[in-house]
Amino acid sequence: MRKAIDDGFREFTQAYGESLEAFFDPLLTFLVWSEKVLLNSPWPLVIIAIAGLAYLGSRSWKLVVGVIVAFCVIGYLGMWEDTMSTLSIITVCTIVAIAIGIPLGILMARSDKVQAVVTPILDIMQTMPSFVYLIPVVMLLGIGKVPGLIAVIIYALPPIVRLTNLGIRHVDPDVVEAANAYGCTSWQKLKNVQIPLALPSIFAGVNQTIMMALSMVVIASMIGVKGLGQPVLKAITNQYFSMGLLNGLAIVAIAIIFDRVSQQYGLRIQKHREGGHGV
């Protein structure tokens, strides 16, 4: 059986490998473009842009100061290029995961049959060791940025799907019933009632997707993905303690920034929905 599976996979790779590479070319183009934008932009402009986004999301000056200090230290320690590469990877992976995950979560919320089919797949994606993702992806597409991106997206996708589904299913039935009583169509009900009320849960899913993607950065570096993961991997193999520590701390700093901003934004949305002062 093992030999049959291996032979079948090799035949599939030979027959469709080039077509798959062509299919993922737009993803590679998007990643290369975003990486060039971050690397070629003046560092003060990049820091101001990131700090501005952090303030828009969190409305916290303390967090903004923390962002500025963290990125200045990263630049001072010579990790700027690797950090920008990591940011571009996380940005692209998060956008793709959201584009796939939210519609899939909505489908799950609207159909028990879809949920019954998708849930076991998500269980497998979350429980399978992350190294296992690399095997079929590398065999299909070789070593490089696209295989790493696909592996990261697969690993980071389940939270946004699950929490979108959960958020929509847990919308107050009385509110949904009132929308039905007013004659709302399914699309109007979804757009104007269910999604707005599920936004805190959806943003929690976005938060977890970002964290999962960051946790996959080091593993993805094994197949040629540039970023902070490569120095960490090099430090492990060559026992460079300081290199591994500093790059690891840079990953932690990025994770904390993303986590705090997305959490604060989700809380503000929730307060706004509950009638408090929000966005």
Side-chain angles (χ1 to χ4, degrees):
M1 182 180 287
R2 291 181 180 178
K3 189 176 185 302
I5 292 172
D6 290 341
D7 290 343
F9 193 79
R10 288 192 189 97
E11 289 176 6
F12 179 83
T13 302
Q14 291 171 0
Y16 299 103
E18 291 184 4
S19 299
L20 285 170
E21 286 182 11
F23 178 78
F24 288 113
D25 273 346
L27 185 62
L28 177 61
T29 303
F30 183 30
L31 174 62
V32 171
W33 174 80
S34 64
E35 192 172 4
K36 283 182 179 179
V37 168
L38 288 172
L39 288 173
N40 295 333
S41 300
W43 65 266
L45 183 63
V46 174
I47 292 178
I48 290 170
I50 295 172
L53 290 172
Y55 179 75
L56 288 174
S58 66
R59 293 292 196 273
S60 169
W61 286 109
K62 291 181 180 178
L63 184 58
V64 171
V65 171
V67 168
I68 294 170
V69 170
F71 277 93
C72 286
V73 171
I74 284 171
Y76 177 75
L77 294 174
M79 297 182 291
W80 183 260
E81 289 188 3
D82 286 335
T83 301
M84 293 301 102
S85 295
T86 297
L87 279 178
S88 67
I89 292 164
I90 299 305
T91 301
V92 171
C93 289
T94 302
I95 290 171
V96 174
I98 289 171
I100 297 171
I102 291 180
L104 187 55
I106 291 170
L107 282 175
M108 288 177 67
R110 294 171 69 88
S111 171
D112 291 335
K113 289 182 180 178
V114 173
Q115 179 174 249
V117 172
V118 174
T119 298
I121 298 172
L122 295 177
D123 292 339
I124 293 170
M125 290 168 67
Q126 284 191 299
T127 55
M128 187 176 290
S130 51
F131 284 98
V132 178
Y133 293 132
L134 304 182
I135 298 170
V137 173
V138 170
M139 288 182 70
L140 282 171
L141 300 169
I143 291 175
K145 293 180 179 180
V146 172
L149 278 174
I150 294 169
V152 172
I153 291 166
I154 292 171
Y155 189 71
L157 187 60
I160 185 68
V161 178
R162 288 186 186 278
L163 287 169
T164 298
N165 173 40
L166 191 68
I168 292 175
R169 283 181 177 270
H170 284 191
V171 170
D172 191 339
D174 292 338
V175 177
V176 176
E177 189 176 338
N180 289 329
Y182 277 103
C184 291
T185 63
S186 295
W187 169 245
Q188 289 173 331
K189 185 170 60 178
L190 178 68
K191 184 182 73 170
N192 299 322
V193 178
Q194 292 174 308
I195 289 180
L197 291 175
L199 276 179
S201 180
I202 292 171
F203 270 95
V206 172
N207 174 280
Q208 290 303 304
T209 291
I210 294 170
M211 296 301 104
M212 297 282 276
L214 273 168
S215 69
M216 191 69 175
V217 164
V218 176
I219 296 170
S221 68
M222 296 176 65
I223 55 173
V225 176
K226 291 182 179 180
L228 292 167
Q230 283 193 338
V232 172
L233 186 63
K234 184 179 179 181
I236 293 170
T237 54
N238 295 284
Q239 297 184 350
Y240 296 150
F241 175 75
S242 60
M243 179 189 290
L245 179 63
L246 291 175
N247 283 273
L249 288 175
I251 294 173
V252 170
I254 294 171
I256 291 172
I257 289 167
F258 274 117
D259 179 65
R260 295 294 183 272
V261 171
S262 56
Q263 275 191 8
Q264 289 296 321
Y265 190 64
L267 288 172
R268 285 173 51 230
I269 288 176
Q270 190 169 11
K271 288 179 181 177
H272 176 66
R273 299 298 171 191
E274 290 173 353
H277 298 287
V279 181

